Amino acid sequence: MTGDVLERIAAALERMNPAPAAAPDYAGAEAFVWHVSPDRLEPVGAVNRIPLSLLVGIDRASDILLENTRHFAQGLPANNALLWGSRGMGKSSLVKAVHAEAAAMAPELKLVEVLREDLPSIGRLLHLLRAAPCRFILFCDDLSFGHDDSHYKSLKAVLDGGVEGRPDNVIFYATSNRRHLMPRDMIENERSTAINPSEAVEEKVSLSDRFGLWLGFHPCDQDAYLEMIRRYCDAWGVEIDDATLRAEAIEWQQTRGARSGRVAWQYFTDLAARRGVPIRLG
């Protein structure tokens, strides 16, 4: 066997069994993104987020998640959280804003984003974080599972922890448009075609039950939509009278066929550009 062939075999084995990830400088950043191939925690220079005070219409969810996060930052018991519901209503914005609020009093609290497709590597990430001197919120945005999707099995390592248990310094927050993390038609289809309907979907549906907190997000009304924009204008110093703001914002909403926090931010972005005002986040 030639040396070239041996090198290719060695490289293939290394890809199958990657070397343990090196611990980053946790003090050098407040947030990280988990990457694989090779495994590493990439520091985030500036987190893309808006202040908690600018999030309108989700006060109860905000209060609950902030209290839970502060408990966790203090080393007290805390629950994993699933933020579910309408698109564009501030689920991921709330997670990032709550982290900033809690980290202001506890700098050792770090945010780690994990992509859904990287969930199979979550065990390696937990092993790395277990020995770290910080506390970590693992954050997975837009989490959902489809047909023949086995990624949910990897998530149980975070929610249940298996024999070893979830590290005391790790908590998991996820956002999803679906309360049960899988399409309703998929649930009904599996129930109707399985030999044992109750067992066919129990494993996947019960995954959401493993989150101690369920926080629902629902479409906003017009007053909340306009209040979101007014707060953005005040925060960034964009001057516009109420009548003009109302007329333009409603027209903007109608052209998109939706009303949400995301649509409010998109209108404000356009307004700020027309007024020559830069927007800086973080």
Side-chain angles (χ1 to χ4, degrees), residues 48-64:
N48 179 34
R49 61 185 165 204
I50 62 176
L52 189 61
S53 61
L54 296 184
L55 299 179
V56 174
I58 54 174
D59 293 347
R60 176 164 173 76
S62 175
D63 291 343
I64 293 173

Side-chain angles (χ1 to χ4, degrees), residues 2-200:
T2 66
D4 183 55
V5 172
L6 289 173
E7 288 180 5
R8 290 202 300 271
I9 293 175
L13 290 173
E14 186 175 343
R15 288 193 296 271
M16 293 171 61
N17 298 282
D25 176 15
Y26 293 113
E30 58 181 339
F32 300 83
V33 177
W34 172 247
H35 294 290
V36 298
S37 302
D39 290 354
R40 64 199 187 279
L41 280 171
E42 196 79 31
V44 177
V47 179
N48 179 34
R49 61 185 165 204
I50 62 176
L52 189 61
S53 61
L54 296 184
L55 299 179
V56 174
I58 54 174
D59 293 347
R60 176 164 173 76
S62 175
D63 291 343
I64 293 173
L65 192 65
L66 180 57
E67 182 180 36
N68 190 69
T69 306
R70 283 176 169 162
H71 287 164
F72 174 69
Q74 295 165 11
L76 298 172
N79 278 306
N80 300 309
L82 174 63
L83 289 69
W84 67 276
S86 300
R87 297 189 304 271
M89 279 307 299
K91 297 185 293 294
S92 60
S93 295
L94 180 58
V95 172
K96 292 182 285 187
V98 158
H99 167 254
E101 197 79 9
M105 301 298 293
E108 70 281 0
L109 180 65
K110 308 297 179 180
L111 184 67
V112 177
E113 183 173 20
V114 181
L115 301 180
R116 195 199 72 88
E117 54 266 30
D118 291 332
L119 285 176
S121 69
I122 203 77
R124 303 196 298 272
L125 174 58
L126 292 180
H127 180 74
L128 175 64
L129 299 182
R130 187 183 296 272
C134 301
R135 303 186 71 77
F136 301 92
I137 300 172
L138 299 193
F139 171 45
C140 187
D141 195 20
D142 198 19
L143 180 64
S144 63
F145 303 101
H147 297 268
D148 302 321
D149 191 338
S150 61
H151 282 17
Y152 70 93
K153 295 179 180 179
S154 303
L155 184 54
K156 290 182 179 180
V158 184
L159 301 178
D160 289 341
V163 174
E164 194 172 18
R166 173 168 57 88
D168 291 337
N169 63 336
V170 173
I171 200 168
F172 188 76
Y173 289 173
T175 70
S176 177
N177 295 330
R178 302 165 180 163
R179 183 173 182 176
H180 289 297
L181 304 177
M182 57 190 294
R184 182 175 296 276
D185 63 337
M186 179 179 169
I187 295 175
E188 298 304 325
N189 180 63
E190 293 200 22
R191 280 180 176 153
S192 64
T193 59
I195 296 176
N196 191 326
S198 62
E199 291 183 0

